[in-house]
Amino acid sequence: MRPSGRAADSLRAVSFSTGFARHAEGSVLIRMGQTEVLCTASVEGRVPPFLRNQGLGWVTAEYGMLPRATHKRGEREAARGKQSGRTQEIQRLIGRSLRAVVDRKAMGEMTITLDCDVLNADGGTRCAAITGAYVALSLAFRHLVAKRVIAAVPLIGQVAAVSCGLVNGEALLDLDYAEDSAAEADGNFVLTADGGIVEIQATAEQKPFTETDCLTLMTLAKAGTRELFVAQNIAIEAAGSIV
Amino acid sequence: MRPSGRAADSLRAVSFSTGFARHAEGSVLIRMGQTEVLCTASVEGRVPPFLRNQGLGWVTAEYGMLPRATHKRGEREAARGKQSGRTQEIQRLIGRSLRAVVDRKAMGEMTITLDCDVLNADGGTRCAAITGAYVALSLAFRHLVAKRVIAAVPLIGQVAAVSCGLVNGEALLDLDYAEDSAAEADGNFVLTADGGIVEIQATAEQKPFTETDCLTLMTLAKAGTRELFVAQNIAIEAAGSIV
Amino acid sequence: MRPSGRAADSLRAVSFSTGFARHAEGSVLIRMGQTEVLCTASVEGRVPPFLRNQGLGWVTAEYGMLPRATHKRGEREAARGKQSGRTQEIQRLIGRSLRAVVDRKAMGEMTITLDCDVLNADGGTRCAAITGAYVALSLAFRHLVAKRVIAAVPLIGQVAAVSCGLVNGEALLDLDYAEDSAAEADGNFVLTADGGIVEIQATAEQKPFTETDCLTLMTLAKAGTRELFVAQNIAIEAAGSIV
Amino acid sequence: MRPSGRAADSLRAVSFSTGFARHAEGSVLIRMGQTEVLCTASVEGRVPPFLRNQGLGWVTAEYGMLPRATHKRGEREAARGKQSGRTQEIQRLIGRSLRAVVDRKAMGEMTITLDCDVLNADGGTRCAAITGAYVALSLAFRHLVAKRVIAAVPLIGQVAAVSCGLVNGEALLDLDYAEDSAAEADGNFVLTADGGIVEIQATAEQKPFTETDCLTLMTLAKAGTRELFVAQNIAIEAAGSIV
Amino acid sequence: MRPSGRAADSLRAVSFSTGFARHAEGSVLIRMGQTEVLCTASVEGRVPPFLRNQGLGWVTAEYGMLPRATHKRGEREAARGKQSGRTQEIQRLIGRSLRAVVDRKAMGEMTITLDCDVLNADGGTRCAAITGAYVALSLAFRHLVAKRVIAAVPLIGQVAAVSCGLVNGEALLDLDYAEDSAAEADGNFVLTADGGIVEIQATAEQKPFTETDCLTLMTLAKAGTRELFVAQNIAIEAAGSIV
Amino acid sequence: MRPSGRAADSLRAVSFSTGFARHAEGSVLIRMGQTEVLCTASVEGRVPPFLRNQGLGWVTAEYGMLPRATHKRGEREAARGKQSGRTQEIQRLIGRSLRAVVDRKAMGEMTITLDCDVLNADGGTRCAAITGAYVALSLAFRHLVAKRVIAAVPLIGQVAAVSCGLVNGEALLDLDYAEDSAAEADGNFVLTADGGIVEIQATAEQKPFTETDCLTLMTLAKAGTRELFVAQNIAIEAAGSIV
């Protein structure tokens, strides 16, 4: 029995509050259980130096956690003067994951920055950030289409992410903090709606795991993201009809 | 006529969502019009080195703005590696303002850090932060009383803040961003419920102002904070009965 | 009785040694009692990026304190790798105060940086810095007129600053360190020679103060700055006749 | 045909020069083709604060690349003042990988830091670092046993890593730089000698890949690391007989 | 003919204003021609961690240059966030030079920090800093003797420094900025009153120089420092009689 | 008798492994006894801003020490976020030393960066770095001549460096770590093959030394560098015939 009472293959309750950040071209507050991440997409009409004059756009991400998103207050990275290795690792993952579904040529020379800020943390923040960032990015692209900056939404796939892990020998979908802390192994699976894998990061936390374990977790993740893809689409359509 | 249609002496709509940050000892999301600041109070059972063994508590504050809280995305301070002068100035002001109403001896040797993070900015963020931080701090103290860490809430006053300014020669209460940008002069008034002044910061933005102007703004601020004191108390009482 | 034997409304002895920094376009070592601040104005023929091609000049300030300007040696900010919040707050104040009396259009596209470095500290360093910076800036402008870089001195007002405070219930002008440490409340008043207010920063150090207190301090400040305006003018004229 | 003429399932030539760093408790210069990484294990008789008095040891890693290990000179991280996100991500991976095979209780309260510095880079530096770090760590533990600091080598497994990728649709083992740059997808596989998985990081570089692709890469990786485990053991035994 | 009209073996006018920093245990404003350096000695009753419980004192130095001490305003190191290589090199030299004449055992476990801040620069600032720091340190030691903290002044030598250089083929003593910029080679000589060498740093600026050149510069430096030793002693004695 | 059994005027065994860094335009691993420094020369087709459009090239250096090059592991400067004063001092010295033998006009507008990274340290690392950097720089210039980027090698001299010191009253050539730690005085001598002096840095470590001591050390250094010049030339010629 999971602490939350969920079945092994159950996601937490997922919801999307689009338009949470009033000034952003696209934004959503994603909630997965008690994890809440505010994702905003900001458009800027130029690309970083290494991409200039190549006719390609750029999609990048930054990640942060409010100091008291966690049980114990964490040091504010801005006050400490640098981002932790964990933060940098996560924001690099988010950026790669979103770029995997964007046609950067069709997008043209612009930069979209996805800021993913965790307001409340209860495990799975990086996966929630990716799932939310896809929604924010989609909304920003729709906004640009509506403003006739681009002709069509330059997305070539739909991406979402979920964590799975082995806890007391059982494979569980969408770990919350209590489960994550106790996991023998866990993985973050970034998948596309057409069944592709964008990224797998699976780690033995307590002891090495097997290929079979890995496949079991993958199966859970596929089922979990199928639900997320539906929820993302509903959120995007609902937002679209309002704006 | 103000852009928002408000009268010169009208506050924007104010609301408090207490308990927004699930892990904090006290928290509130304060909204003043379209400005939204998440204020959390975090308790730690020790004081900074300069206060050790003096029997006094410490109350301090940190302030941040999410990159896309504003019209144009701002650089993330954690990525840039340092807090701006503006950020530091504001967090010092919040800390001083709250310490002015705390009996640090009664509080005992503990530190409470007030994190004020702006989720959406439309002017007046530092004042909203102070007004919200008072609520978060009160809730944290009540929590500590309920847990019998302290015998009574060690508050010796109630504090709130509001900005006022001269726009096109007219004195206005609670400036939003459009007004703030156009103000000839403006001030932030940190006041207590019993009529005391904790801090005044009044600045000529376009040209020097007069003592009379200053008194007019002060009068507006007093009226404005009277409403805020009532709203704070309602929020605290409502939260108290739930927890 | 004040520790220095001064009357409640007496300034400390003020003097200006102009030309102290040989290379600067304008410079002065201001002494207010035992507080000594070296103020230099440095001219550079371009403006920061955010002002380019707008036909406006820029006046900015930096503030520092030599490590042993104080009773106890302070850490060198350059060695520590960052400026404190206090330093940044002060240099922002100095910059705003001077910009308030400059016609930035008449000045043309150039930057003047006012460096205010405290050689000896005995309270009131930020006010002395503002008062001295006005002299350094005036001398730099006169230098530019003499060199025919600009046609006339682009000053539209005269600015000086002084601190006042409540100590043991009494309102005192121009606090020295001993008084400042014991003050119940104090304020820094940045005023112009024609009676305008550029900035007021009044803070309750021990307990909230009243509007009446505030007005009393303001009255002292007005009288104090009247003397400073005269002293500034004498220093500027004397320097002018030499160069 | 691979640029190097290797078969799809061939490792590059691997060699280990143990004792390269004269002062370290364990060290090796690992060469995988033209990739060269100097791995040193440094023992310190205490643990970081978060582990004190728990009877557990700590194994951690730092990674660096000499500025001209690459085709184009890279900026020196020490001069730039911070480690890149990539560097931090890699050193966290190395640390986790080695901790997975250490009995930290048997090790006792000490810290071993594995410094992995790339002298020449031709792809696969993080995997070479892990494979080399295992050798350096083993030698350090043997050294501590010889000096009777610990009773036995506290290793509970043997770890090595290799990268595999899809290049032009073909699954290849141990990518060099030319192959890595052209890969559609690639992964780093950190495996143990008894068939366990410590970490998988598989990423779509150009387009999402399938579960089948992932299994094919895993199979290659298992075969590749089997060879590495043998080579590690030979190097350790050879070194052991000398020291 | 030198720009200043001095003979090749003439020092610039030297003067010492002791007690310039009111709070420091020892201080002097040294002037060598138009170079002015404020040197303060600050006493702290403990030593850095690496020296604890060894019965030895520590003497160290920090060096800075006010932004407009030079012809062109230099960036403020505190604002830039780090000290330049030049600054660090100079402060390390000052520290070594002073430690060479201190009996650190007789001094006992305390730290004296010599802050040398250049108010006006016209060449030779590091040498002036050393010469002035010796005076400030002597005054601080006398102060400690007067306060009965130590029994006797723990100085075992007297140190001063001067620069010499080859300009247009001629060996010159005590280069000013104009000469320093044009020198083919120059050196800084840190010497003791009893004829010892503490440090020589001689550098070819335009082309390698000879051993003979080096000896010629050394001879000039010896003569120059002989005058400085006398001037130092007069300043110390004069100050001593006042305090 | 020296710990190594060497005569007072004997260098340690010197060797040069050219081409150690495969990607660099010039590189060498220099060994002086157990000190090993990897020197690489990297060519970039532009100069720093302060040199633009002057028709002059730039030669600069960076220095680093691997964390476990030393007896005790040192903190990684990249992790610490800044280079130490010692590192900066050394890299400035290396840069000056090499620039002294380069015809920067003949070189044209390009930058060559010499990275000197210490793999194993046993005293004399800065001297080994200079001696090795000369070889790396020569090879890079030959490479540029071979590629017809420049017409001829723009070297106007040959430079090498060696340390000498007084240990137990005896003057010794080429100190190793044990001797360096025990030296009463030591110096680094950067000399040219035609008998010129590029830089002398001689420091009293325990007590001031005499002019005679200085000359004795210089004589040793001249003899020592004569051997180094021969070894450099052999290494360069041998490398040249291969490439």
Side-chain angles (χ1 to χ4, degrees):
Chain A
M1 184 69 169
R2 304 176 69 169
S4 57
R6 280 187 285 152
D9 61 352
S10 281
L11 285 181
R12 293 177 283 182
V14 182
S15 73
F16 296 89
S17 300
T18 55
F20 192 92
R22 296 174 205 284
H23 304 299
E25 282 77 17
S27 78
V28 69
L29 177 64
I30 179 175
R31 291 186 191 81
M32 293 199 67
Q34 300 210 342
T35 286
E36 297 186 329
V37 186
L38 175 52
C39 306
T40 62
S42 296
V43 179
E44 196 188 7
R46 55 177 187 178
V47 290
F50 71 92
L51 275 181
R52 274 187 203 143
N53 302 319
Q54 298 179 31
L56 294 172
W58 186 239
V59 174
T60 186
E62 290 190 5
Y63 171 93
M65 205 181 251
L66 292 195
R68 197 54 195 280
T70 46
H71 283 87
K72 198 166 162 294
R73 183 179 184 272
E75 201 181 359
R76 185 178 290 267
E77 291 188 329
R80 197 170 145 246
K82 65 175 180 176
Q83 294 179 299
S84 70
R86 177 185 174 279
T87 291
Q88 293 193 59
E89 194 172 309
I90 292 175
Q91 65 194 12
R92 284 159 54 88
L93 171 63
I94 301 170
R96 281 197 306 275
S97 298
L98 274 294
R99 283 194 296 276
V101 294
V102 172
D103 178 345
R104 287 168 51 212
K105 196 160 186 176
M107 178 184 170
E109 289 215 354
M110 66 168 68
T111 296
I112 300 189
T113 302
L114 296 156
D115 286 289
C116 300
D117 285 275
V118 181
L119 306 188
N120 277 295
D122 186 30
T125 64
R126 82 186 68 186
C127 291
I130 291 168
T131 304
Y134 173 78
V135 173
L137 180 61
S138 298
L139 294 177
F141 279 140
R142 289 184 173 219
H143 172 84
L144 292 170
V145 170
K147 298 198 65 169
R148 299 180 186 247
V149 177
I150 49 178
V153 167
L155 285 168
I156 52 175
Q158 182 178 357
V159 71
V162 76
S163 75
C164 303
L166 295 171
V167 183
N168 296 326
E170 194 183 7
L172 301 178
L173 174 66
D174 189 19
L175 307 184
D176 59 28
Y177 179 76
E179 293 166 337
D180 189 62
S181 310
E184 289 119 39
D186 61 19
N188 296 299
F189 296 84
V190 185
L191 306 176
T192 59
D194 57 3
I197 303 169
V198 168
E199 182 130 355
I200 300 176
Q201 294 190 336
T203 305
E205 297 290 342
Q206 294 173 13
K207 56 174 188 184
F209 55 99
T210 66
E211 201 170 319
T212 308
D213 292 333
C214 191
L215 290 173
T216 308
L217 297 180
M218 169 82 85
T219 302
L220 278 175
K222 281 192 174 173
T225 49
R226 264 194 298 272
E227 292 181 51
L228 294 173
F229 293 128
V230 173
Q232 284 175 326
N233 287 333
I234 292 171
I236 293 166
E237 292 311 318
S241 63
I242 295 165
V243 176
Chain B
M1 185 70 170
R2 303 176 70 169
S4 58
R6 280 187 285 151
D9 62 352
S10 282
L11 284 181
R12 291 179 283 183
V14 182
S15 74
F16 297 89
S17 300
T18 56
F20 191 92
R22 298 173 204 285
H23 304 300
E25 282 77 16
S27 77
V28 70
L29 178 64
I30 179 175
R31 291 186 193 83
M32 293 198 66
Q34 300 210 342
T35 287
E36 298 186 328
V37 186
L38 175 52
C39 305
T40 62
S42 297
V43 179
E44 197 188 7
R46 55 179 185 176
V47 290
F50 72 91
L51 275 181
R52 275 186 203 142
N53 303 318
Q54 297 179 32
L56 293 172
W58 185 239
V59 174
T60 186
E62 289 189 5
Y63 171 93
M65 205 181 253
L66 293 194
R68 197 55 195 280
T70 45
H71 282 86
K72 198 165 163 293
R73 183 179 184 270
E75 202 181 358
R76 187 178 289 266
E77 291 188 331
R80 198 170 143 244
K82 64 176 181 176
Q83 294 179 298
S84 70
R86 178 186 173 275
T87 291
Q88 293 193 59
E89 193 171 309
I90 292 175
Q91 64 193 12
R92 285 158 53 89
L93 170 64
I94 301 170
R96 281 198 306 273
S97 297
L98 274 294
R99 283 194 296 277
V101 293
V102 172
D103 179 345
R104 287 168 49 211
K105 196 160 188 176
M107 178 185 170
E109 288 214 355
M110 66 169 69
T111 295
I112 299 189
T113 302
L114 296 157
D115 286 290
C116 299
D117 286 275
V118 180
L119 306 188
N120 278 295
D122 185 31
T125 64
R126 81 186 68 188
C127 291
I130 292 167
T131 304
Y134 173 78
V135 172
L137 179 62
S138 298
L139 295 177
F141 278 140
R142 289 185 172 216
H143 172 84
L144 292 170
V145 170
K147 298 198 65 167
R148 297 178 188 253
V149 177
I150 50 178
V153 168
L155 285 167
I156 53 177
Q158 182 177 356
V159 71
V162 76
S163 75
C164 303
L166 295 172
V167 184
N168 296 325
E170 193 184 7
L172 301 179
L173 175 65
D174 189 19
L175 307 184
D176 57 29
Y177 178 76
E179 293 166 337
D180 189 61
S181 311
E184 289 119 40
D186 61 18
N188 296 298
F189 296 84
V190 186
L191 306 175
T192 59
D194 58 2
I197 303 169
V198 167
E199 182 130 356
I200 299 176
Q201 294 190 336
T203 305
E205 297 290 343
Q206 294 174 12
K207 57 174 189 184
F209 55 100
T210 65
E211 201 170 320
T212 308
D213 292 332
C214 190
L215 290 174
T216 307
L217 297 180
M218 169 82 83
T219 303
L220 278 174
K222 281 191 174 175
T225 49
R226 263 194 299 272
E227 292 181 52
L228 294 173
F229 293 128
V230 173
Q232 284 175 326
N233 286 335
I234 291 171
I236 293 165
E237 291 312 317
S241 61
I242 296 165
V243 178
Chain C
M1 184 68 171
R2 304 176 69 169
S4 57
R6 279 187 286 152
D9 61 352
S10 282
L11 284 182
R12 293 178 283 183
V14 182
S15 73
F16 297 88
S17 300
T18 55
F20 191 91
R22 296 174 205 283
H23 304 300
E25 284 75 16
S27 78
V28 70
L29 177 64
I30 178 174
R31 291 186 192 82
M32 292 199 66
Q34 300 209 341
T35 286
E36 296 186 328
V37 185
L38 174 53
C39 305
T40 63
S42 296
V43 179
E44 196 188 6
R46 55 177 186 179
V47 289
F50 71 91
L51 275 181
R52 274 185 204 144
N53 302 319
Q54 297 179 31
L56 294 172
W58 186 239
V59 174
T60 186
E62 290 189 6
Y63 170 94
M65 206 181 251
L66 293 194
R68 198 55 195 282
T70 46
H71 283 87
K72 198 164 163 294
R73 182 179 185 271
E75 200 181 359
R76 185 179 290 266
E77 291 188 330
R80 196 170 146 247
K82 64 175 181 176
Q83 294 179 298
S84 71
R86 179 186 172 276
T87 291
Q88 292 193 60
E89 193 171 310
I90 293 174
Q91 65 194 13
R92 284 159 53 89
L93 170 63
I94 301 171
R96 279 197 308 274
S97 298
L98 274 294
R99 283 194 296 277
V101 293
V102 172
D103 178 345
R104 287 169 49 212
K105 196 159 187 178
M107 178 184 170
E109 289 215 355
M110 66 169 69
T111 296
I112 300 189
T113 302
L114 296 156
D115 286 289
C116 300
D117 286 274
V118 180
L119 306 188
N120 278 295
D122 186 31
T125 64
R126 80 187 68 186
C127 290
I130 292 168
T131 304
Y134 174 78
V135 173
L137 179 62
S138 298
L139 294 177
F141 278 140
R142 288 184 174 219
H143 172 85
L144 292 170
V145 170
K147 299 199 64 167
R148 299 180 186 245
V149 176
I150 49 178
V153 168
L155 286 168
I156 53 175
Q158 182 178 356
V159 72
V162 76
S163 76
C164 303
L166 295 171
V167 185
N168 297 326
E170 193 183 8
L172 301 178
L173 175 65
D174 189 19
L175 307 184
D176 58 28
Y177 178 76
E179 292 165 338
D180 189 62
S181 310
E184 289 119 38
D186 61 18
N188 296 298
F189 296 85
V190 186
L191 306 176
T192 58
D194 57 3
I197 302 170
V198 168
E199 183 131 353
I200 300 175
Q201 294 189 335
T203 304
E205 297 290 341
Q206 295 175 12
K207 57 172 189 186
F209 55 99
T210 66
E211 202 172 319
T212 308
D213 293 332
C214 190
L215 290 174
T216 308
L217 297 179
M218 169 83 82
T219 303
L220 278 174
K222 281 191 173 173
T225 49
R226 264 194 298 272
E227 292 181 51
L228 293 173
F229 293 127
V230 173
Q232 285 176 326
N233 286 334
I234 292 170
I236 293 166
E237 291 311 318
S241 62
I242 295 166
V243 177
Chain D
M1 185 68 170
R2 304 176 70 169
S4 58
R6 279 187 284 152
D9 62 352
S10 282
L11 284 182
R12 291 178 283 182
V14 182
S15 73
F16 296 89
S17 300
T18 54
F20 191 92
R22 298 173 204 285
H23 303 300
E25 283 76 17
S27 78
V28 68
L29 177 64
I30 179 174
R31 290 186 193 81
M32 292 198 67
Q34 299 209 342
T35 286
E36 297 186 328
V37 186
L38 175 52
C39 305
T40 62
S42 296
V43 179
E44 196 189 7
R46 55 177 186 177
V47 290
F50 71 90
L51 276 181
R52 273 182 206 147
N53 303 318
Q54 298 179 30
L56 294 172
W58 186 239
V59 174
T60 187
E62 289 190 4
Y63 171 93
M65 204 180 253
L66 293 194
R68 197 55 195 279
T70 45
H71 282 87
K72 197 164 163 297
R73 181 178 186 271
E75 201 181 359
R76 185 179 289 268
E77 290 187 331
R80 197 170 145 247
K82 64 175 182 176
Q83 294 179 297
S84 70
R86 178 185 173 276
T87 291
Q88 292 193 61
E89 194 171 309
I90 292 175
Q91 64 193 13
R92 283 159 54 89
L93 170 63
I94 301 170
R96 280 197 307 273
S97 298
L98 274 295
R99 283 194 296 276
V101 294
V102 172
D103 179 345
R104 287 169 49 211
K105 196 160 188 176
M107 177 184 171
E109 289 214 355
M110 67 169 68
T111 295
I112 300 189
T113 302
L114 297 156
D115 286 290
C116 300
D117 285 275
V118 180
L119 306 188
N120 278 295
D122 186 30
T125 64
R126 80 187 69 188
C127 290
I130 292 168
T131 304
Y134 173 78
V135 173
L137 180 61
S138 298
L139 294 177
F141 278 140
R142 289 183 173 219
H143 172 83
L144 292 170
V145 170
K147 299 198 66 167
R148 296 178 189 252
V149 177
I150 51 178
V153 167
L155 285 168
I156 53 176
Q158 181 177 356
V159 73
V162 76
S163 75
C164 302
L166 295 171
V167 184
N168 296 326
E170 195 184 5
L172 301 178
L173 175 66
D174 190 19
L175 307 184
D176 58 27
Y177 178 76
E179 292 166 337
D180 189 61
S181 310
E184 289 119 40
D186 61 17
N188 296 298
F189 296 84
V190 186
L191 306 176
T192 59
D194 57 4
I197 303 168
V198 168
E199 182 130 354
I200 299 176
Q201 293 189 337
T203 305
E205 296 290 343
Q206 294 173 13
K207 56 174 188 184
F209 55 99
T210 66
E211 201 170 320
T212 310
D213 292 333
C214 191
L215 290 174
T216 308
L217 297 180
M218 168 83 83
T219 304
L220 278 175
K222 282 193 172 173
T225 49
R226 265 195 298 271
E227 292 181 52
L228 293 174
F229 292 128
V230 174
Q232 284 175 325
N233 286 335
I234 291 171
I236 293 166
E237 291 311 318
S241 62
I242 296 165
V243 178
Chain E
M1 186 68 169
R2 304 176 69 170
S4 57
R6 281 187 284 151
D9 61 352
S10 282
L11 284 181
R12 291 178 284 182
V14 182
S15 73
F16 297 89
S17 300
T18 56
F20 191 92
R22 298 174 204 284
H23 304 299
E25 283 77 16
S27 78
V28 68
L29 178 65
I30 178 175
R31 290 186 193 83
M32 293 199 64
Q34 300 209 343
T35 286
E36 297 186 327
V37 186
L38 174 52
C39 305
T40 63
S42 296
V43 179
E44 196 189 9
R46 55 178 186 177
V47 290
F50 71 92
L51 276 180
R52 276 187 202 141
N53 302 319
Q54 297 178 32
L56 294 171
W58 185 240
V59 174
T60 186
E62 289 189 5
Y63 171 93
M65 204 180 255
L66 292 194
R68 197 55 196 278
T70 46
H71 282 87
K72 197 165 162 296
R73 183 179 184 270
E75 201 180 359
R76 185 178 289 267
E77 291 187 330
R80 196 170 145 246
K82 64 176 182 176
Q83 294 179 299
S84 70
R86 177 185 174 277
T87 291
Q88 292 193 61
E89 194 171 309
I90 293 175
Q91 65 193 13
R92 284 159 54 88
L93 170 64
I94 301 170
R96 281 198 307 275
S97 297
L98 275 295
R99 283 194 296 276
V101 293
V102 172
D103 179 345
R104 287 169 47 212
K105 196 162 188 173
M107 178 185 169
E109 289 213 355
M110 67 169 68
T111 296
I112 299 189
T113 301
L114 296 156
D115 286 289
C116 300
D117 286 275
V118 180
L119 306 189
N120 278 296
D122 186 30
T125 64
R126 81 186 69 188
C127 290
I130 292 169
T131 304
Y134 174 77
V135 173
L137 179 62
S138 298
L139 295 177
F141 279 141
R142 290 185 172 217
H143 172 84
L144 293 170
V145 170
K147 298 198 64 167
R148 298 180 187 250
V149 177
I150 49 178
V153 168
L155 284 168
I156 53 177
Q158 182 178 356
V159 72
V162 77
S163 75
C164 303
L166 295 172
V167 184
N168 296 327
E170 194 184 6
L172 301 179
L173 175 66
D174 189 20
L175 307 184
D176 57 29
Y177 178 76
E179 292 166 337
D180 190 61
S181 311
E184 288 120 39
D186 61 18
N188 296 298
F189 296 84
V190 186
L191 306 175
T192 57
D194 57 4
I197 303 169
V198 167
E199 182 129 355
I200 300 176
Q201 294 189 338
T203 304
E205 296 291 342
Q206 294 173 15
K207 55 174 188 184
F209 54 98
T210 66
E211 202 171 320
T212 309
D213 292 333
C214 191
L215 290 174
T216 308
L217 296 181
M218 169 82 84
T219 303
L220 279 175
K222 282 192 173 173
T225 49
R226 264 195 298 272
E227 292 181 51
L228 293 173
F229 292 128
V230 173
Q232 284 174 326
N233 287 334
I234 291 171
I236 293 166
E237 291 311 319
S241 61
I242 295 165
V243 178
Chain F
M1 184 66 169
R2 303 175 70 166
S4 58
R6 280 187 284 151
D9 62 353
S10 281
L11 285 181
R12 293 179 283 183
V14 182
S15 73
F16 297 88
S17 300
T18 55
F20 192 92
R22 295 173 206 285
H23 303 300
E25 283 76 18
S27 77
V28 69
L29 178 64
I30 178 173
R31 291 187 192 81
M32 293 199 66
Q34 300 208 344
T35 286
E36 297 186 328
V37 185
L38 175 52
C39 305
T40 62
S42 297
V43 179
E44 195 188 8
R46 55 177 185 178
V47 289
F50 71 91
L51 275 181
R52 277 189 200 140
N53 303 318
Q54 298 180 30
L56 294 172
W58 185 238
V59 174
T60 186
E62 290 189 5
Y63 171 94
M65 205 180 251
L66 293 195
R68 197 56 195 279
T70 46
H71 283 88
K72 197 164 162 298
R73 182 178 185 273
E75 200 181 359
R76 185 178 290 267
E77 290 187 331
R80 197 170 145 247
K82 63 175 183 177
Q83 295 179 298
S84 70
R86 178 185 174 277
T87 291
Q88 293 192 60
E89 193 171 309
I90 292 175
Q91 65 194 14
R92 284 159 53 90
L93 171 63
I94 301 170
R96 279 198 307 273
S97 298
L98 273 295
R99 282 193 298 275
V101 294
V102 172
D103 178 345
R104 286 168 51 211
K105 196 159 187 177
M107 177 183 171
E109 289 215 355
M110 67 169 68
T111 296
I112 299 188
T113 302
L114 297 156
D115 286 289
C116 300
D117 284 276
V118 180
L119 306 188
N120 277 296
D122 186 30
T125 64
R126 82 186 68 187
C127 290
I130 292 168
T131 304
Y134 173 78
V135 173
L137 180 62
S138 298
L139 294 177
F141 278 140
R142 289 185 174 219
H143 172 84
L144 292 170
V145 170
K147 298 199 65 169
R148 299 180 185 247
V149 177
I150 49 178
V153 168
L155 285 168
I156 52 177
Q158 182 178 356
V159 72
V162 75
S163 76
C164 303
L166 295 171
V167 184
N168 296 327
E170 193 183 9
L172 302 178
L173 175 66
D174 189 19
L175 307 185
D176 58 27
Y177 178 76
E179 292 166 338
D180 189 61
S181 310
E184 289 121 38
D186 60 18
N188 296 297
F189 296 84
V190 185
L191 306 176
T192 58
D194 57 3
I197 303 169
V198 168
E199 182 129 355
I200 300 176
Q201 293 190 337
T203 305
E205 297 290 342
Q206 294 173 15
K207 56 174 189 185
F209 55 98
T210 65
E211 202 171 320
T212 308
D213 293 333
C214 191
L215 290 174
T216 307
L217 297 180
M218 168 82 83
T219 303
L220 278 174
K222 281 192 173 174
T225 49
R226 265 195 297 271
E227 292 181 52
L228 294 173
F229 292 127
V230 173
Q232 284 175 326
N233 286 334
I234 291 171
I236 292 166
E237 292 310 318
S241 62
I242 295 165
V243 176

